[in-house]
Structure formats: C-alpha cells, structure tokens
C-alpha cells in the first residue's frame, strides 16, 4: 500500500512520503514537499500524487531518520508540528484512496486518527486539481472539530 501524510500549517502544506515496512508500520521519509497554502489546488494534488508514486515497501531503516525528516520539513520538533497543524494520512490500495484526518490528542500523546471523518475516493478517476481540493477540504474540516 502506498501512503503519505499531509500537514497544513498557517502558511504551508507539508507532504511527507511514507514507506511501509515488514513490521506493518510506516516510516516517514523523503521526498518531502512544502508548498504555500496560497498555491492552487492542482499544485497540492500534483505533489500528493508524486509522494504517493514514490511510496513503496522498504526494510526498516537501521538509523533514526526523524531528525533528517524534521530538517527537511523545516520543523523544530514533531510536538511543534502536531500542535500547529492539521493533518491527514492518505493510503492508496490499487485505485482506492483513503483519507484519514488526524487530530492532536495533546502534544505528549501525538496524533490520533479521526475515523469518523475518513473519506474514500476512486484514485483512478480523480484529477490532480480535484485531489488537491479534496485534501484541502479534509484538512479544513478537521480544524472545525
């Protein structure tokens, strides 16, 4: 399954590619895309599509890559990122795309899935513009909860 996570801050969207491992977990790594929230939705959709295309199965890395990921995202800590953004994970299985919004439980606990607001899409029939609009909608609606 291919995956990425998208964060929305006050200024940017940050799209992080996720890689599945044999342990059933996902590892965040590059490519990472940062685009302005003022960019058009097609740009957001295009970068999400690139991230999903890069996602693949990997061996669990021996080294801790968290610091490198934070540096690429231009963030000081995950605690800061989680408390100052909304986010959703995107999982692509063949042509079915699942968008799961996340909410910050508290800065020590991290993020938790908001399954009640999960949305499903037919990835093969969605344009990059529509994909960007959909992700923006999911992230904006998670702010309201």
């Amino acid at each position: 399954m291919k995956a990425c996570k998208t964060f929305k801050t006050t200024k940017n969207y940050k799209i992080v590619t996720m890689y599945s491992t044999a342990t059933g977990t996902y590892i965040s790594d590059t490519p990472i895309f940062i685009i302005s929230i003022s960019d058009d939705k097609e740009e957001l959709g295009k970068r999400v599509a690139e991230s999903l295309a890069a996602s693949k199965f990997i061996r669990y890395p021996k080294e801790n890559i968290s610091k490198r990921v934070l540096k690429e995202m231009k963030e000081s800590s995950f605690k800061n990122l989680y408390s100052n953004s909304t986010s959703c994970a995107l999982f692509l299985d063949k042509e079915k795309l699942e968008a799961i919004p996340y909410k910050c439980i508290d800065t020590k606990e991290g993020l938790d899935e908001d399954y009640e607001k999960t949305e499903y899409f037919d990835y093969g029939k969605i344009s990059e513009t529509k994909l960007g609009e959909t992700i923006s909608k999911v992230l904006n609606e998670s702010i309201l909860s």
Side-chain angles (χ1 to χ4, degrees):
M1 188 173 317
K2 295 179 172 279
C4 71
K5 192 174 277 187
T6 303
F7 296 90
K8 181 182 180 187
T9 67
T10 56
K11 297 179 183 178
N12 300 304
Y13 289 104
K14 299 181 180 200
I15 302 132
V16 182
T17 305
M18 296 184 357
Y19 297 87
S20 61
T21 68
T23 62
T25 60
Y26 284 87
I27 303 294
S28 297
D29 204 349
T30 57
I32 294 170
F33 303 99
I34 300 174
I35 61 170
S36 171
I37 59 171
S38 64
D39 283 350
D40 62 20
K41 299 304 180 243
E42 182 178 8
E43 183 69 16
L44 175 59
K46 186 182 293 186
R47 298 299 169 224
V48 166
E50 284 182 52
S51 183
L52 288 170
S55 178
K56 61 186 176 186
F57 179 82
I58 61 167
R59 297 189 96 151
Y60 200 87
K62 290 180 174 38
E63 77 279 359
N64 184 338
I65 58 175
S66 297
K67 288 182 182 179
R68 182 169 48 87
V69 168
L70 284 169
K71 184 178 178 182
E72 291 265 342
M73 292 178 72
K74 298 180 170 73
E75 290 289 339
S76 58
S77 68
F78 285 107
K79 179 179 174 179
N80 184 57
L81 175 64
Y82 297 162
S83 61
N84 294 308
S85 68
T86 59
S87 62
C88 74
L90 299 153
F91 295 96
L92 179 60
D93 188 13
K94 296 184 176 113
E95 293 298 315
K96 297 298 174 198
L97 182 66
E98 178 179 31
I100 305 171
Y102 280 74
K103 55 186 170 187
C104 186
I105 301 168
D106 68 44
T107 54
K108 292 180 184 174
E109 296 287 326
L111 299 174
D112 193 24
E113 297 93 351
D114 190 356
Y115 285 113
E116 293 177 7
K117 294 184 179 177
T118 299
E119 302 228 8
Y120 301 90
F121 308 94
D122 187 347
Y123 189 70
K125 296 182 179 177
I126 193 169
S127 69
E128 289 177 345
T129 301
K130 185 67 174 166
L131 178 61
E133 289 170 355
T134 300
I135 293 163
S136 178
K137 177 180 168 248
V138 169
L139 291 169
N140 287 334
E141 286 180 0
S142 65
I143 292 171
L144 303 174
S145 52

